[in-house]
Amino acid sequence: MTTTITADISCTLLEFDFSGIEAVITGRCLWAHGFSSAGAQQYIRLARLGMHAAVTGLKVGDPVNLSAPDADVSRHLKAIKSAHPGPYDTSKRTVHANNFGMTVYGMVEKFPEFFPTIKAAEEFQNYYYALAPDLPKWHQALRKQARETGFLGGTTAPGLPPSIWDHPYGYRHWFWDVLSYQPANEFTARKWLADASRAHRITYLHGRPFKIGFGNDGNRVIAFYPQSTAAGRLKEAEMALFAYPELPTYIGDVYFGRTPLCGPIHDSLLLHVPNRCVARVVEIVCRVMQEPSLRLPIPIEWGWGGFLPIGVAAKAGRNWGEMSDIEVPAWMIPVPSAGPDHPVLPREGEGEVEDWELLARSVA
């Protein structure tokens, strides 16, 4: 129980959360990996203002005007969220499921109360892809790159031109099972090869036909860049806060000469702070976490500066289960935010042949 994690007398628990960091990083990845700059900018904007509500707006026939200023879009999205809680919850699961490679078949199996049929899952998926048309193409490119090289990320060797697949923090992950192959009979193979919608799901190995599906790493490659980049950004903030006593941002001795850090949790930091230090700690942590990272450059014409800014949400309380939102001081470039988000993460591997309907490419 989270309520059992309780602050000492004269202390307060503080939690600082990067607002929608994986979604924002997904938008940057779309640009960094060669997809539309305008599409990536729109994705980041909606990730900050409320992607789930934007999908809901399409479902209920109240689409948001994306040419309007941020303040107007934000008000509209908040009104949609408040007026349509049921479709909003379904949209939220649609966004998180598709961001991590889940298919409509997996959506029905994982969330039957929200997607009772394949048709219902396809409807919400189509609304989401209408707002993020490059997302399934990016997933396809990730799987192709991981299959052909055996890994994602890392950094290009000195002296060679940098690759679009280089990782902002240099992390590399090897993937051994991106695809799976199931034997097929010749009749089925020829039938599928004659069908343009299924031809990409058949290949011949040593003269024998096989159906192509996702392996155990089929969805892990989708999660790699957003999750690992978010982890790198969080570690970057931790280093500035707790690693170097000579820095003015150092708070590693705030808890009576010891670190106040209880631990990093997903994309947030949980701190245990004496009451007399709360205001100072909130100011420093919010400043460090909101400062754009030099490892995450973006086009200057987007209007957010030269590096990706990420919003922060903060909570305080006597125990972890009963914390209240606190005001976050804003510095640098104002970052609109839909507030903290708790992702609905799909399971990692489904192993369904139908997953390949999202790829639409031939595999040699």
Side-chain angles (χ1 to χ4, degrees), residues 73 161 362:
V73 173
S362 298

Side-chain angles (χ1 to χ4, degrees), residues 129-146:
Y129 286 166
L131 297 171
D134 285 337
L135 191 69
K137 302 174 187 176
W138 177 59
H139 291 173
Q140 172 185 338
L142 286 170
R143 290 185 174 113
K144 181 177 184 293
Q145 178 70 12

Side-chain angles (χ1 to χ4, degrees), residues 58-71:
L58 294 179
K59 167 62 178 175
V60 300
D62 186 18
V64 66
N65 178 13
L66 296 177
S67 64
D70 281 354

Side-chain angles (χ1 to χ4, degrees), residues 67-108:
S67 64
D70 281 354
D72 294 342
V73 173
S74 179
R75 280 193 294 271
H76 191 176
L77 292 175
K78 288 179 180 177
I80 291 173
K81 177 181 178 180
S82 177
H84 305 282
Y88 180 86
D89 285 345
T90 305
S91 297
K92 180 175 182 178
R93 281 155 180 82
T94 300
V95 171
H96 286 302
N98 283 275
N99 277 7
F100 290 93
M102 184 177 281
T103 68
V104 291
Y105 304 95
M107 291 162 64
V108 171

Side-chain angles (χ1 to χ4, degrees), residues 236-253 280 284 288 291:
E236 195 174 34
E238 289 179 85
M239 295 290 284
L241 293 169
F242 308 115
Y244 302 107
E246 65 273 17
L247 293 180
T249 57
Y250 180 74
I251 57 170
D253 56 358
R280 171 173 167 260
I284 291 175
V288 167
E291 184 172 0

Side-chain angles (χ1 to χ4, degrees), residues 142-183:
L142 286 170
R143 290 185 174 113
K144 181 177 184 293
Q145 178 70 12
R147 175 181 178 271
E148 292 179 351
T149 64
F151 66 89
L152 291 176
T155 55
T156 302
L160 297 176
S163 166
I164 62 172
W165 302 106
D166 285 352
H167 194 283
Y169 293 92
Y171 300 154
R172 172 176 292 183
H173 197 293
W174 296 87
F175 297 98
W176 310 106
D177 188 21
V178 179
L179 305 180
S180 67
Y181 300 91
Q182 300 176 357

Side-chain angles (χ1 to χ4, degrees), residues 13-17 265 268-271 313-316 320 323:
L13 289 178
L14 299 174
E15 185 173 9
F16 300 89
D17 177 42
I265 303 163
S268 67
L269 298 174
L270 182 64
L271 309 183
K315 295 181 179 181
W320 196 24
M323 303 182 79

